[in-house]
């Protein structure tokens, strides 16, 4: 126990010193500034950014160098494949499209990023399905695979870009079909964190200072929003302390082994706080609180408000990732059929946009309207967990869920 306490004391001492230094030199360092706080970083926005970087004719002016580095760092199986060498040799001929329609298969989907190239009588196609936030749509990856097949390309490849799952769901493509594509070198799964090495390589090769700084800002954005790294300097300082001695390494591992259990215990406290908050301050006649699917740390665990007068869907607070991370809040249906048959589904997004101007409202196949709950990072930041410990989180969750219910109900969104 003494070893653990000594480690914690040393980490606190070092990080406090770093915070003091950052405060003293904040005007020079601007540690919290990031260009991407002022840029549209929804799915389409990120697709446009990545597409322009991959485009040999992109505004970055570095010709095909970024695309070549992407193939080398992110798609080594293609880079080393004999039947893709003509593409590598003629990579500067590549055209890059955003939101390319699946015209050949007639499914009316849009491929987020599509790369096409013809060289030496051989046609190549690469589809990048960009999934930074939303879940997979029904048969989405299967439809893209069919589209690439139907285009009669000599070689094609499908990329699934998502930070939180290694493969798309069965909802999107059958596992046997996915295995077959992988075996034929037609599928790769990439994480946003996998892009870091590529972007750093681009920085090294880039010959323009403005573009180099943009790449640095994009790296910081990915580290913060997809990897939970708020401050690389802080991480470096903590790691140095952890490695100072055998005792510190041993204590660090003991702390890591107990971290998930600590989170589960705090979630149990949150559950009790939510029950108490609901019982004390909210109208049981309007809706009921359901916390039956929360506590294990699995993907998509939820807190729900279920109205007895509307059984097609429910107000939902849901963790999008395992181990209680990336919560969102919105209205959720059980099936796509319920969404498609409900006449007021589209009005829900409009109602929230009009009444929650400080939130970025989005929609997905099962969610006609929702937003990402703040604090968003529950994986590596202590903020959310301290709020639970201090009894503040249950009140915040219930207040925002009730506000959403009142807005939707008041705008007649539950009618029909």
């Amino acid at each position: 126990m003494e070893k653990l306490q000594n480690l914690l004391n040393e980490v606190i001492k070092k990080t406090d010193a770093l915070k003091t230094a950052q405060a003293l030199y904040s005007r020079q360092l601007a540690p919290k500034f990031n260009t991407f706080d002022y840029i549209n970083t929804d799915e389409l926005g990120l697709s446009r950014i990545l597409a322009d970087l991959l485009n040999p004719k992109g505004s970055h002016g570095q010709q095909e160098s970024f695309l070549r580095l992407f193939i080398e760092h992110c798609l080594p199986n293609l880079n080393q494949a004999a039947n893709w060498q003509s593409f590598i040799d003629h990579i500067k001929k590549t055209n890059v499209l955003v939101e390319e329609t699946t015209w050949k298969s007639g499914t009316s989907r849009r491929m987020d990023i599509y790369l096409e190239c013809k060289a030496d009588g051989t046609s190549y196609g690469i589809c990048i399905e960009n999934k930074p936030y939303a879940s997979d749509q029904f048969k989405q990856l299967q439809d893209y695979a069919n589209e690439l097949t139907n285009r009669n390309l000599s070689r094609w490849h499908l990329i699934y870009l998502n930070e939180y799952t290694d493969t798309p769901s069965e909802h999107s493509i059958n596992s046997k079909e996915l295995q077959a594509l992988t075996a034929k070198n037609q599928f790769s799964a990439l994480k946003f964190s996998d892009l870091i090495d590529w972007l750093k390589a681009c920085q090294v090769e880039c010959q323009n200072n403005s573009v180099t700084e943009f790449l640095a800002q994009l790296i910081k954005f990915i580290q913060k929003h997809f990897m939970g790294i708020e401050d690389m300097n802080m991480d470096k300082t903590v790691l140095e302390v952890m490695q100072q001695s055998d005792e510190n390494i041993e204590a660090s591992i003991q702390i890591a082994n107990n971290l998930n259990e600590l989170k589960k215990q705090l979630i149990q406290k949150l559950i009790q706080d939510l029950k108490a908050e609901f019982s004390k301050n909210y109208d049981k006649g309007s809706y009921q609180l359901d916390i039956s699917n929360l506590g294990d740390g699995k993907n998509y665990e939820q807190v729900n408000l279920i109205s007895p007068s509307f059984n097609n869907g429910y107000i939902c607070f849901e963790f999008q990732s395992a181990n209680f991370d990336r919560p969102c809040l919105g209205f959720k249906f059980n099936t796509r059929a319920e969404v498609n048959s409900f006449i007021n589904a589209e009005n829900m997004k409009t109602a929230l946009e009009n009444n929650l101007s400080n939130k970025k409202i989005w929609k997905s196949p099962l969610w006609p309207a929702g937003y990402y709950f703040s604090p968003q990072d529950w994986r590596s930041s202590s903020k959310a967990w301290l709020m639970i410990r201090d009894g503040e989180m249950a009140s915040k969750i219930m207040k925002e869920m009730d506000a959403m219910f009142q807005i939707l109900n008041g705008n007649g969104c539950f009618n029909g």
Side-chain angles (χ1 to χ4, degrees):
M1 185 60 70
E2 183 179 353
K3 294 177 183 178
L4 295 175
Q5 190 60 55
N6 288 340
L7 173 64
L8 293 173
N9 290 341
E10 185 66 15
V11 168
I12 291 169
K13 178 182 175 182
K14 293 286 187 179
T15 54
D16 282 349
L18 180 59
K19 288 177 183 177
T20 300
Q22 289 176 336
L24 287 172
Y25 295 100
S26 61
R27 291 181 65 183
Q28 292 91 336
L29 299 174
K32 295 185 178 180
F33 178 83
N34 191 290
T35 302
F36 284 79
D37 291 335
Y38 308 95
I39 294 175
N40 182 7
T41 54
D42 63 8
E43 182 177 310
L44 179 57
L46 288 176
S47 292
R48 287 173 172 167
I49 291 168
L50 294 175
D52 192 65
L53 291 176
L54 294 171
N55 192 346
K57 307 175 190 68
S59 60
H60 49 76
Q62 307 305 299
Q63 300 176 1
E64 74 275 12
S65 61
F66 290 175
L67 176 55
R68 187 181 304 277
L69 290 168
F70 177 78
I71 301 298
E72 291 176 6
H73 286 264
C74 299
L75 299 173
N77 289 344
L78 296 193
N79 193 50
Q80 299 166 10
N83 56 11
W84 279 84
Q85 288 312 301
S86 182
F87 169 73
I88 302 298
D89 294 340
H90 299 85
I91 200 168
K92 63 182 179 182
K93 295 183 178 181
T94 303
N95 292 319
V96 181
L97 306 170
V98 178
E99 295 282 281
E100 166 74 350
T101 304
T102 54
W103 51 268
K104 192 67 175 178
S105 58
T107 54
S108 299
R109 292 193 184 275
R110 295 183 184 274
M111 294 184 281
D112 293 324
I113 303 172
Y114 181 64
L115 291 77
E116 59 182 10
C117 179
K118 291 184 178 180
D120 294 335
T122 305
S123 56
Y124 298 89
I126 298 176
C127 168
I128 303 177
E129 172 56 14
N130 177 28
K131 281 292 181 189
Y133 312 119
S135 57
D136 300 338
Q137 298 177 24
F138 182 60
K139 290 189 176 180
Q140 187 170 20
L141 268 292
Q142 182 64 64
D143 285 345
Y144 292 150
N146 293 342
E147 173 69 18
L148 295 171
T149 299
N150 292 340
R151 291 193 178 197
N152 295 318
L153 298 162
S154 305
R155 303 284 180 267
W156 60 266
H157 201 79
L158 179 59
I159 301 171
Y160 183 68
L161 180 58
N162 178 291
E163 182 64 24
Y164 306 104
T165 58
D166 293 328
T167 58
S169 67
E170 286 272 350
H171 183 71
S172 183
I173 186 170
N174 180 275
S175 58
K176 291 184 178 179
E177 176 65 19
L178 190 64
Q179 291 173 5
L181 295 180
T182 304
K184 291 185 289 186
N185 200 17
Q186 292 180 320
F187 174 82
S188 293
L190 279 179
K191 293 187 176 182
F192 280 89
S193 50
D194 294 332
L195 303 181
I196 298 295
D197 286 343
W198 164 56
L199 294 170
K200 287 182 177 179
C202 291
Q203 283 183 292
V204 173
E205 195 157 322
C206 184
Q207 299 181 33
N208 180 275
N209 290 335
S210 296
V211 176
T212 300
E213 177 56 30
F214 181 85
L215 293 170
Q217 295 286 307
L218 179 55
I219 290 171
K220 287 176 63 177
F221 170 81
I222 291 173
Q223 289 171 335
K224 178 179 178 180
H225 290 274
F226 298 108
M227 301 169 66
I229 300 175
E230 289 282 350
D231 191 326
M232 288 297 289
N233 292 327
M234 191 70 71
D235 273 17
K236 183 179 179 181
T237 299
V238 173
L239 284 170
E240 287 175 353
V241 174
M242 292 168 67
Q243 298 178 68
Q244 278 178 356
S245 66
D246 293 348
E247 290 78 10
N248 280 11
I249 292 176
E250 180 184 350
S252 299
I253 293 173
Q254 290 178 17
I255 290 172
N257 289 339
N258 285 279
L259 183 58
N260 285 340
E261 185 58 34
L262 171 63
K263 288 183 176 181
K264 286 185 178 181
Q265 288 185 12
L266 286 170
I267 288 293
Q268 290 303 314
K269 181 181 186 304
L270 175 62
I271 290 173
Q272 297 306 315
D273 289 350
L274 285 167
K275 291 179 179 178
E277 182 75 17
F278 175 70
S279 177
K280 180 180 179 181
N281 297 317
Y282 293 93
D283 181 11
K284 289 78 178 170
S286 298
Y287 48 70
Q288 292 298 311
L289 178 67
D290 176 18
I291 325 179
S292 59
N293 185 23
L294 179 64
D296 294 329
K298 298 177 182 177
N299 279 324
Y300 310 122
E301 292 193 352
Q302 304 170 341
V303 176
N304 300 320
L305 297 185
I306 301 174
S307 173
S309 60
F310 185 81
N311 56 14
N312 287 357
Y314 44 90
I315 306 292
C316 181
F317 171 92
E318 180 178 277
F319 291 105
Q320 297 287 283
S321 298
N323 296 319
F324 315 108
D325 192 33
R326 290 184 51 77
C328 66
L329 199 160
F331 193 87
K332 186 176 184 180
F333 285 87
N334 292 309
T335 66
R336 289 166 60 91
E338 290 178 339
V339 180
N340 295 333
S341 64
F342 186 61
I343 60 174
N344 274 320
E346 192 65 33
N347 295 336
M348 289 183 170
K349 185 172 185 289
T350 302
L352 294 186
E353 286 175 334
N354 291 340
N355 289 274
L356 299 175
S357 58
N358 61 329
K359 306 290 186 184
K360 183 183 288 187
I361 308 299
W362 46 256
K363 68 175 182 178
S364 68
L366 294 180
W367 301 71
Y371 62 82
Y372 290 107
F373 184 85
S374 179
Q376 177 71 181
D377 178 15
W378 290 44
R379 180 175 61 177
S380 57
S381 172
S382 63
K383 184 176 181 180
W385 303 102
L386 291 174
M387 291 177 68
I388 295 175
R389 184 200 65 182
D390 297 338
E392 300 171 0
M393 183 58 75
S395 175
K396 185 177 192 300
I397 292 173
M398 284 301 308
K399 182 177 180 180
E400 293 192 28
M401 294 183 77
D402 179 73
M404 181 171 291
F405 177 86
Q406 301 303 336
I407 291 169
L408 297 178
N409 189 46
N411 282 272
C413 294
F414 296 150
N415 298 330

